[in-house]
Structure formats: C-alpha cells, structure tokens
Amino acid sequence: MMRFIPTRFHGILDYVYGILLIAAPWLFDFAAGGAETWVPVVIGAMVLLQTIFTDFEVGLIRKIPMQTHLMLDFGIGVILALSPWLFGFADRVYSPHLIFGIFSMLAALTTHRTPSRAYKTNMVHEEPLR
C-alpha cells in the first residue's frame, strides 16, 4: 500500500482522533456504560498518550519510534474494529467502533514510516533538555 500521509499530519489527526474517540459514546449516543462506552474511551486515551510519547513533529516527550507508533495504531484499529464482537455488544452498536477501527488501520498503512528530513535536521540542532 502506498504511504502518502506525512507524519506531521498523522500526528495532528491523532490528537483529533483520540479526543473524538473519547467523546464518541456521547456524540453518537451509545453511552450505555458498558464495554461499548469504555472501549473507545480507553483506546482514545491510549491514542493521545501514544501520540504525546512519539518521536515525531507533534510528539511532546518523543520516546516511541514512528514505526512502533504505526504498528500500535494498526493493532489498536484491529481491536477497536472487532470490539463489538469481542465484547458482545454488536447487537446494540457496532458501526462507530468498526469505522474508527478501520480508519486507524488505514492511517497506519498509509502514513510515512519516518518523520520528514526537516524534522530530523531540526532535532539534531536543538539543545537537549536539562
């Protein structure tokens, strides 16, 4: 599959995606208090944390390599997409989980594996935090 999404754009999307996942049960009216509610909330929090800790343009702590981030995104997408059947709530709601999960998998497969050269060059010239 062709990788055409720049890492910076992926990171911005991740912040929006994480917040949207956390809000999804209330936005899309499936907040019944069970797994259907908490799976996207927990995964949304994981996405935000992972993004904060990724070594790319919009990461804040920069410990997770971009390739690891993308593998985690793919795994998160699989779990999210399958969660209605894994946790037994598909009879009540499954579309948001499936759509968000597929989105995560596609984003993982179509994002560049390494941040831009400009990011790498800037990082070399930055003073380390003390």
Side-chain angles (χ1 to χ4, degrees):
M1 188 171 275
M2 202 172 102
R3 293 182 181 272
F4 55 88
I5 298 173
T7 54
R8 178 180 173 77
F9 183 72
H10 179 105
I12 293 165
L13 266 182
D14 269 349
Y15 285 113
V16 173
Y17 178 75
I19 291 164
L20 200 53
L21 266 178
I22 291 167
W26 295 274
L27 283 176
F28 304 115
D29 198 29
F30 61 87
E36 75 289 326
T37 304
W38 295 107
V39 167
V41 169
V42 168
I43 288 179
M46 287 170 57
V47 166
L48 292 176
L49 276 172
Q50 172 186 312
T51 304
I52 288 166
F53 278 92
T54 297
D55 183 14
F56 69 151
E57 296 89 342
V58 297
L60 302 176
I61 299 175
R62 299 182 175 159
K63 297 293 183 197
I64 301 171
M66 191 65 204
Q67 283 189 267
T68 303
H69 176 111
L70 295 175
M71 284 190 295
L72 291 169
D73 276 356
F74 190 86
I76 281 169
V78 170
I79 291 166
L80 189 56
L82 296 178
S83 66
W85 296 275
L86 290 173
F87 299 105
F89 57 84
D91 56 328
R92 295 186 304 284
V93 62
Y94 67 87
S95 295
H97 303 76
L98 185 61
I99 292 166
F100 276 110
I102 290 169
F103 176 83
S104 185
M105 288 184 277
L106 289 174
L109 292 172
T110 56
T111 296
H112 292 245
R113 288 189 180 112
T114 54
S116 68
R117 269 199 301 271
Y119 167 73
K120 294 265 188 221
T121 305
N122 290 339
M123 290 307 293
V124 170
H125 300 297
E126 277 186 22
E127 283 294 311
L129 296 173
R130 301 195 194 287

